Amino acid sequence: MNIDDDGDVSRRPLILTALAVIALVWYCILWTISILGCLTGRKHLRLRPRSPLSSAPKENVPGVSVLRPLKGLDTNLFENLESTFTQEYSNFEILLSVADADDQALSVVRSLLEKYPQVDAKVVIGEEVVGVNPKVNNLIPAYKQAKNDILWILDSNVLVTPGTLARSVDSLVGPPASAEKSKSNKHRIGLVHHVPFAFVSEQAFGSRIEEAFLNTNHAKMYLAINRVAIESCVVGKSCMYRRSDLERVTGDLKPEQHAAPDVISNSGAPLPVDGRERGLAAFGRFLAEDNMIASALWHELGLRHALGCDVAGNAVGNMPISAYVQRRVRWIRVRKHMVAVATLVEPFTECVMLSIIAAWAAHRLWGVPRWLVLLLHYPAWIALDLDVYDSLAGFYLPVEKRWSFLIAWAMRELLALPIWFLGMVGSEVEWRGKRYRILRNGETARAAPNGSWWSFLSRRKKRDGYEQLEQEGVALNEQ
């Protein structure tokens, strides 16, 4: 027993040393990813050149159908929708879809139709239930009525600058001079997306935390992952893709298979052999339909994504801290069924946890005072996050906002681990006034309502809309 005990004691320092080495390697990897995200933002987002398609005649540019699903009076709704009407592009239509003829958003839509009679825009009323996702159900009629193969789907709380459409088409199909060259590429671009940039007009602390999260940590990792481009990573607030591609995927993420060469559809394309639902309707069973569409295009068709140089301005309304926590928990519960490994390691990518790991490892290996590591870590991390914010915004964080922003940033970092634990211990979420149960591979089923503590936490005045926003906001300044 004594010999065994002595052996255990002698091995313990070696094990701790090995763990310290692993911890520092992990720390360096996360810093590398963070710096990559920062540099990607600097290179990709700070220069937004005018596309030649912006001034090209209608017959020389591909047609685009812009689909905007609506529900209720979201924050900044008029300005968000108006930003679609003012796109510098000569060949596009706008389809504004609502499920209910009495929807409050219709008053805003009618005002825009009167203000811009020269724009090819119309309202699509009614939904087609193809699954549990209300956004997909709302979009199906507009999706079927769209005149063009290229679709640009934007959430109702998204605002874009006038050149976004033309630059996005450039990224999807390439300028005319490079069209032949793009055909020879091994992987063509199947989807163009934009990193969200949050802006707030309310002083609710939860809104400020959401702004700090989306404009720093989330954007940094999003930019880095899409720069490496070894896997699909898409937030669908603003996505452009071809309907002809979407009609070939099922959401199973298995490479596409065709029938025998002599079995041909009316369009001349080989028919699928499995008879599975395809197109937008196939994604009504997912809560995160945007992410699954992107993954399906990537894995089933072998297409790749292009990150646009524009941002998707995300109007954040009056969000209390409880709503912020609920929102983050919801998406952790969705992600853990879709990307389990990434979700499990998520706490070890956060600023506070990394600082603790680095301080312990440096002290263990070299005797460096823990306080010194922390003193160096936090200012450097904050400076990197603020640089990412500058790239997204197109300007430096205003001095008068700096302290309030940093307080919200610090609260976001402190809440990250508790929120992760909450997200990992359950599989039910509340979304737009209804409860859902997240199933295998991210599929979703309706769950029975209950009086749990979580429902009590999120109890507040709600509307059954795409976002629980109650007040009008202000438009994002032109960048």
Side-chain angles (χ1 to χ4, degrees), residues 40 44-45 151-154 158 160 164 167-169 171-172 189-197 218-219 221-229 231-241 290-291 293-295 297-298 303-313:
T40 301
H44 201 67
L45 300 178
L151 307 178
W152 186 23
I153 299 179
L154 300 98
V158 168
V160 289
T164 303
R167 285 188 286 266
S168 299
V169 174
S171 298
L172 185 69
I189 299 300
L191 181 145
V192 179
H193 57 118
H194 304 97
V195 60
F197 171 69
H218 176 272
M221 300 300 289
Y222 192 80
L223 290 166
I225 294 171
N226 279 283
R227 177 66 180 87
V228 177
E231 180 55 274
S232 171
C233 179
V234 170
V235 172
K237 290 188 174 297
S238 170
C239 282
M240 177 181 288
Y241 43 78
D290 46 10
N291 184 274
I293 288 172
S295 295
L297 295 173
W298 182 291
L303 305 180
R304 292 298 177 259
H305 308 153
L307 181 65
C309 62
D310 295 275
V311 297

Side-chain angles (χ1 to χ4, degrees), residues 322-323 326 430 435 450-462:
S322 60
Q326 184 186 24
E430 187 169 340
R435 291 192 64 80
N450 59 53
S452 66
W453 66 270
W454 185 252
S455 298
F456 176 79
L457 176 64
S458 61
R459 187 180 302 155
R460 56 191 293 258
K461 183 181 177 181
K462 294 182 180 179

Side-chain angles (χ1 to χ4, degrees), residues 42 46 386-387 389-390 393-399 402:
R42 277 178 166 264
R46 295 198 180 194
L386 289 178
D387 194 83
Y389 177 98
D390 297 341
F395 51 81
Y396 295 117
L397 181 66
V399 175
R402 195 156 295 172

Side-chain angles (χ1 to χ4, degrees), residues 210-230:
E210 176 81 351
E211 177 191 31
F213 168 68
L214 289 177
N215 295 348
T216 58
N217 184 72
H218 176 272
K220 181 174 60 183
M221 300 300 289
Y222 192 80
L223 290 166
I225 294 171
N226 279 283
R227 177 66 180 87
V228 177
I230 60 175

Side-chain angles (χ1 to χ4, degrees), residues 40-303:
T40 301
R42 277 178 166 264
K43 180 180 179 179
H44 201 67
L45 300 178
R46 295 198 180 194
L47 179 63
R48 299 167 188 172
R50 180 180 173 83
S51 167
L53 299 181
S54 294
S55 54
K58 181 176 182 179
E59 59 271 14
N60 291 344
V61 297
V64 178
S65 295
V66 184
L67 277 59
R68 302 210 66 158
L70 309 175
K71 182 75 172 180
L73 294 175
D74 286 350
T75 294
N76 212 53
L77 182 62
F78 186 92
E79 289 80 3
N80 296 341
L81 299 183
E82 185 177 36
S83 71
T84 318
F85 283 77
T86 57
Q87 288 300 302
E88 297 170 348
Y89 197 77
S90 58
N91 189 10
F92 72 99
E93 64 168 345
I94 304 174
L95 291 89
L96 303 142
S97 58
V98 294
D100 189 343
D102 296 324
D103 196 290
Q104 290 179 306
L106 288 174
S107 61
V108 175
V109 170
R110 293 189 184 101
S111 297
L112 286 166
L113 294 177
E114 292 176 2
K115 185 175 181 180
Y116 297 96
Q118 76 282 7
V119 176
D120 183 6
K122 68 177 181 178
V123 182
V124 179
I125 300 176
E127 64 178 356
E128 181 177 333
V129 178
V130 296
V132 297
N133 189 316
K135 176 182 171 183
V136 173
N137 295 338
N138 189 346
L139 278 170
I140 290 292
Y143 174 82
K144 291 181 176 180
Q145 295 180 35
K147 296 185 294 187
N148 303 297
D149 187 43
I150 298 178
L151 307 178
W152 186 23
I153 299 179
L154 300 98
D155 285 352
S156 57
N157 64 345
V158 168
L159 181 146
V160 289
T161 53
T164 303
L165 174 53
R167 285 188 286 266
S168 299
V169 174
D170 263 344
S171 298
L172 185 69
V173 303
S178 65
E180 291 300 321
K181 181 180 177 182
S182 65
K183 294 179 182 178
S184 63
N185 291 345
K186 183 178 180 182
H187 297 290
R188 69 175 172 87
I189 299 300
L191 181 145
V192 179
H193 57 118
H194 304 97
V195 60
F197 171 69
F199 62 98
V200 300
S201 59
E202 305 294 337
Q203 295 302 317
F205 197 37
S207 304
R208 298 296 180 184
I209 298 174
E210 176 81 351
E211 177 191 31
F213 168 68
L214 289 177
N215 295 348
T216 58
N217 184 72
H218 176 272
K220 181 174 60 183
M221 300 300 289
Y222 192 80
L223 290 166
I225 294 171
N226 279 283
R227 177 66 180 87
V228 177
I230 60 175
E231 180 55 274
S232 171
C233 179
V234 170
V235 172
K237 290 188 174 297
S238 170
C239 282
M240 177 181 288
Y241 43 78
R242 298 173 180 86
R243 178 167 49 189
S244 56
D245 288 333
L246 190 59
E247 288 295 325
R248 295 165 55 193
V249 298
T250 66
D252 290 341
L253 308 187
K254 298 177 181 179
E256 182 183 42
Q257 296 181 357
H258 294 294
D262 59 338
V263 182
I264 303 298
S265 68
N266 293 333
S267 65
L271 285 169
V273 298
D274 55 12
R276 295 293 304 275
E277 181 79 65
R278 280 169 164 76
L280 182 60
F283 297 88
R285 66 188 193 270
F286 300 105
L287 215 57
E289 87 294 333
D290 46 10
N291 184 274
M292 289 304 301
I293 288 172
S295 295
L297 295 173
W298 182 291
H299 291 284
E300 297 182 34
L301 304 185
L303 305 180

